[in-house]
Amino acid sequence: MPGDNGRRATSGLSEFATDELVADIQVRGNQTVPASRILNQMQTRVGRPFDPRALAGDIKKLASLPYFVTVRPLHKSTETGRVIILEVVERRTLRYVEYLGNESIKEKKLAEATGLTVGGAVDPYAVEEGKQKIASLYRENGFNRVHVEVVEGADSKDQGVTYSINEGPQERIWTVVFEGNEFASDGQLKTKIASKPGIAWPMGSKLKRDALESDVDKLTDYYRSFGFFRAKVGRTVELGEGGEWATVHFAISEGPRYSIRNVTINGVELFDTSSIRSGLKLTDGSPFERGVQQQDVQWLRDLYGSRGYIYADIRAEMLFLEEPGKIDLVYNVEEGEQWRVGRILVNIRGEDSHTRLPVAINRVGLRPGDILDTRKLRDAERRLGAAGVFNRNPQMGSVPTITPEVSPETRERLAAEEKAEEADRQGVFRGQNPASPSATPWTSYMPPTPSVYQIVKPAPTSESYAVAKEPAPRQSIAIEAEVYRGQGPAAGYPATTGATSVYQMQQSVANTPEEALSRSGTPYADQGQPAGNVFGASTAPDAHYNPYPNYGGTTVGATDPSAAPIAPTQYAEGYPAPPTAYPATTNTLPPPQGYPAQPPAPGYPATTTPSSTGYPAETIAPPTYGQPAPPTYNSVGADAYQAGSPVNTQLFPLGTNLTTPVPPPNDPFADLVINLEETQTGRFMVGVAVNSDAGVVGQISLDEQNFDWRAVPRSMQDVYDGNAFRGGGQHFRLEAAPGTQVQRYLASWQEPYFLDTPISLNLSGSYYERRYDDWDEERLGGRIGWGYQWVDRDLSGMVTYRGENVKIFNPSDPTLPDYAEVLGDNSLHGFGLRLVNDKRDNPFLATEGYYLSASVEQVIGSFSYPRAELDARTYYLLKERPDHTGRHVLTFQSRLGITGSDTPVYDRFYAGGFSTMRGYDFRGASPVINGFEVGGDWMFLNTAEYMFPLSADDMIHGVAFVDHGTVTPSASLDDYRVAPGVGLRILVPAMGPAPIALDFAWPVAGPDFDDKRVFTFNIGFQR
């Protein structure tokens, strides 16, 4: 009855419940587990209707508990109701676990090793396994003669476990001796093994037999990596009288070192073989080195990868000859096909990621249809890691990766081609039937999918990608590639009656397909179908382009005429809806929000976009499909690879209306899957900063590296969720820093990709007050920077302006001419040009890459003078752990500056302090007059620094450095200073990415009038 079903649903009963009530539940066989504990685990209760399904679930739950071996249910009907009997067989549990004889290792560590605890099940197999684990633990600590016995616990009837341990002596390594080695010294070989005396000699290093065997393999592999293919390594251990200290002997038979007789390269068609041979490091007659061979293989892969042959198979094979000590080295190359970029899929991990798609796309440097260059992929990964928006620490999460994946369309085409080849091999010939609808149309370029830019996220329950939902009104619209088809509409696409773009209109009046392609500016044209059979796009605005999708959402693609109508897109309250209809003969697609318009292509009339997004009406050019000359497909010299790829000649290559590369027919596409994980980008800090150059400074700052001025909160919920003013990849900072020697108040905003173009815009305003040793200074002003970025080359240029009012007061000697001429207010207007090439992997704690900055400036105002500076830094990654942490970095930095003779004292160069030359007081290594600091017009400062990790989590690093250089009134190397030193770098995550720096430096050369300071420290700033 309906009433019964409702009552059962509310009580949790299944459809198998009966009207008979449970009269009693009895438990039999339990000895240590109380019946009440068993009954509390059950859904079946006395007084409830008897439900067979619920009882089956109860039995399954009881059987999964560690208390029982078996649970058997019995039940019968009585006059009073259903009686349930549970027959259980209890599992024996451990009442005690004891370890006898352990002195060197605590019982807690032994318990962690065995995993046996009181109350656990009696399991003889686990007891025997625990015995082996105890012995292994002791051997890892140098007790190689340990003996462990099971006194109790081997029988299933035992109530506890007892181990008897005879530890024996702990063996330590006294010294390591190598015999027979000539190629490598003892010191070199010691760096390859783990069995060696410890740094703290009295503590020694534990002798581990397993490590000894591994060391033998390491030494053998080391020799063979340098061509000693017949090398053999043996080892012996000699113990001292007490049996504790050991001498380890490694006996080495090196044998001959093999050299290369001939280097052969097979399968190369794209490049000239001789030019490839000239680029290899291993040549005829050179001794074999595995590391160099691997570098050559990687060079070949990069060579092919730079031309889009990302799946080129390159295998190195060694052929041993009858002639002793000689081998032939053969590189077998399978070039494969040239691949192009398909879709770009962005996967930003996180509970509620709010970063806009262009923040990642702008740093990729590749666009759909481009040749897939593997070098550009690596550069893009580095730029994404250095953006400060995404995590780049492997220990904190996933680092940015870009993975090419074969596009679905290409996969289908390759499968069809393989099937056709198989059919040809089996003697199947096609008759007069029409070709498959999937046959390639005559138009050379067919975008791989309608939507080429998407944000994707892993679906909660599968490996597939799901579309990320983000607020549409303040997000850019995914760029859509239109689809042009050949003889007839493909399945799933509507029949069409007219062209909607200028490109299609030009096609419709062309006499031949080649003429249509020629009119469109396309450099590639293949022989196609007869003229007059070119289909235009559908007149429906949603057929190939959804002008107002939710950002990151699935763009509405073409649908079959029989399909259900597409539901209209929902728009947030307060935002305008798109137009409902568009003329069929004009390109009326509105531009994505934030993208600038571009002028129409030559030879085509421009169309005007109605303003439906709140922006002024903009002009949109038809697709030009222009592209530089196609790459040469016959043999070319490998030296072309060394020279780099052709530069994109577009002034704004990241704009809305991109000139889409048109690949040759049948080029395969690979989608780029960008995997990212957002990191902490916003910080609000209240504290005290201490700096040896600036004294004690109070600090209140708000810093956001993923700021978005367009993300205005629509409700307080956006503020609570962290979505307000975030997601645009901009850098915004507010800072108030009152201090004893320095006061600074700053507001700055930086947009590296203004309106999602390569143009950068920097704005800042500040008030600054500083008490120097010889005068006090106030500055009030602002700065503007307007630049352009060549993303694929990590190069940026910027036109700068700084306007300040500089007030000088309280000079130490008002009569000094250099001070007297600047007393009071001074106006400063500087117009400059700056070029920066930044290939560092991290702007705060760089470990590889380089940084080059050159700037020139003309200053006018109270004083007029030119100024130029050059800053060059190079970072060499010497070694790292297998997981890419624990990096050892060697850094070289040089700074060169020159300014005009009319430069006032407040804008000259000074040296001394943490940021310029350690070992000296702030500005203490500068020119002086009568003991007063006046600065110089010439600066030449240098640093060589080696940084190495001191902790496993990379939070503490050590540094050894040498600062050297000079500042003089004119260009010279007089008063040259040298200061070597050591220091620490301590990272505190709550304080931001810049480390705490503690440095000790001792000047060893320089003039006597300098102010020296051995210790310098810094918190929150970078050199």
Side-chain angles (χ1 to χ4, degrees), residues 407 588 856:
S407 67
T588 57
V856 293

Side-chain angles (χ1 to χ4, degrees), residues 646-658:
V647 181
N648 194 330
T649 57
Q650 300 178 68
L651 181 58
F652 300 105
L654 300 185
T656 306
N657 302 296
L658 305 174

Side-chain angles (χ1 to χ4, degrees), residues 25 50 62 93 102 255 307 400 418 524 547 614 625 743 784 797 875 992:
I25 302 177
F50 176 67
L62 293 174
T93 58
N102 60 304
R307 304 303 175 91
E418 183 178 357
Y524 303 112
Y625 291 81
Q743 292 192 63
I784 301 175
Y875 305 87

Side-chain angles (χ1 to χ4, degrees), residues 3 14 85 97 185 263 300 336 388 397 424 441 645 729 874 995:
S14 70
I85 301 173
V97 179
S185 65
V263 176
L300 286 170
D424 291 341
S645 301
T874 303

Side-chain angles (χ1 to χ4, degrees), residues 705-949:
Q705 297 188 42
N706 198 12
F707 185 76
D708 188 357
W709 64 272
R710 290 171 292 186
V712 179
R714 292 167 293 177
S715 65
M716 288 303 298
Q717 189 63 39
D718 285 347
V719 179
Y720 298 146
D721 294 341
N723 294 325
F725 297 109
R726 296 181 72 187
Q730 305 154 17
H731 187 194
F732 177 74
R733 182 177 181 85
L734 284 176
E735 180 181 359
T740 58
Q741 300 179 37
V742 177
Q743 292 192 63
R744 181 178 62 254
Y745 303 91
L746 170 71
S748 66
W749 175 78
Q750 301 174 14
E751 169 58 280
Y753 298 91
F754 184 65
L755 298 179
D756 297 321
T757 67
I759 296 175
S760 62
L761 177 62
N762 299 341
L763 302 174
S764 68
S766 64
Y767 170 78
Y768 177 84
E769 180 181 330
R770 173 80 200 219
R771 296 180 182 177
Y772 294 108
D773 292 341
D774 295 317
W775 72 83
D776 294 343
E777 179 178 311
E778 289 183 1
R779 293 186 183 228
L780 176 64
R783 302 192 178 208
I784 301 175
W786 183 261
Y788 183 82
Q789 302 183 64
W790 292 268
V791 179
D792 56 343
R793 293 178 177 265
D794 296 289
L795 179 66
S796 62
M798 180 172 291
V799 177
T800 63
Y801 166 77
R802 61 171 176 146
E804 295 175 337
N805 180 75
V806 184
K807 181 179 180 181
I808 304 297
F809 56 98
N810 294 334
S812 298
D813 185 1
T815 63
L816 191 69
D818 295 79
Y819 294 169
E821 65 180 0
V822 298
L823 284 178
D825 293 326
N826 302 271
S827 63
L828 184 155
H829 301 278
F831 302 88
L833 177 64
R834 185 185 183 195
L835 289 175
V836 176
N837 189 200
D838 189 353
K839 284 186 173 290
R840 295 175 295 176
D841 60 340
N842 188 326
F844 290 100
L845 207 61
T847 60
E848 57 184 336
Y850 65 85
Y851 173 88
L852 182 63
S853 172
S855 62
V856 293
E857 185 183 35
Q858 176 62 49
V859 178
I860 59 175
S862 300
F863 300 87
S864 179
Y865 52 92
R867 184 184 182 93
E869 291 187 58
L870 178 66
D871 186 359
R873 311 174 199 176
T874 303
Y875 305 87
Y876 296 98
L877 177 60
L878 302 183
K879 63 178 180 178
E880 62 182 349
R881 303 186 188 113
D883 61 352
H884 304 295
T885 61
R887 295 189 159 195
H888 295 244
V889 183
L890 181 62
T891 303
F892 296 99
Q893 178 181 6
S894 293
R895 296 172 59 186
L896 181 66
I898 186 170
T899 186
S901 58
D902 193 34
T903 304
V905 67
Y906 57 77
D907 218 20
R908 293 175 183 166
F909 298 113
Y910 295 85
F914 174 78
S915 60
T916 53
M917 183 172 288
R918 291 160 287 190
Y920 298 89
D921 198 2
F922 179 65
R923 291 192 170 184
S926 306
V928 298
I929 297 179
N930 299 331
F932 300 109
E933 298 170 355
V934 294
D937 296 337
W938 164 264
M939 175 185 68
F940 181 57
L941 301 177
N942 306 274
T943 294
E945 182 174 281
Y946 173 59
M947 184 178 67
F948 50 92

Side-chain angles (χ1 to χ4, degrees), residues 292-433:
V292 178
Q293 180 204 42
Q294 292 172 348
Q295 293 176 13
D296 285 344
V297 171
Q298 185 61 46
W299 181 81
L300 286 170
R301 287 174 179 162
D302 286 344
L303 175 63
Y304 276 94
S306 67
R307 304 303 175 91
Y309 293 81
I310 61 174
Y311 296 114
D313 186 14
I314 300 167
R315 291 166 293 169
E317 182 180 359
M318 293 181 296
L319 302 179
F320 290 85
L321 308 174
E322 295 182 358
E323 183 180 358
K326 296 291 184 179
I327 63 171
D328 281 350
L329 184 58
V330 180
Y331 293 100
N332 295 307
V333 180
E334 293 183 10
E335 295 179 335
E337 296 182 279
Q338 186 181 53
W339 289 73
R340 292 183 178 260
V341 179
R343 298 173 299 174
I344 298 179
L345 309 176
V346 181
N347 170 28
I348 303 178
R349 296 183 179 89
E351 292 293 333
D352 186 19
S353 59
H354 46 260
T355 301
R356 296 173 60 244
L357 175 109
V359 176
I361 293 296
N362 290 336
R363 292 171 169 84
V364 172
L366 288 169
R367 293 295 178 265
D370 288 351
I371 293 176
L372 210 166
D373 189 337
T374 55
R375 296 173 305 167
K376 291 185 178 181
L377 291 186
R378 290 198 298 268
D379 288 342
E381 290 177 343
R382 175 181 47 77
R383 284 192 293 268
L384 289 168
V389 178
F390 309 110
N391 176 65
R392 63 175 304 274
N393 187 346
Q395 296 183 344
M396 301 291 290
S398 301
V399 298
T401 59
I402 304 179
T403 306
E405 294 184 359
V406 180
S407 67
E409 292 75 15
T410 298
R411 187 179 296 110
E412 292 177 3
R413 180 179 66 80
L414 295 177
E417 291 177 356
E418 183 178 357
K419 184 176 180 181
E421 292 176 0
E422 180 66 23
D424 291 341
R425 286 194 295 268
Q426 296 177 0
V428 178
F429 302 97
R430 184 178 298 276
Q432 298 299 320
N433 293 329

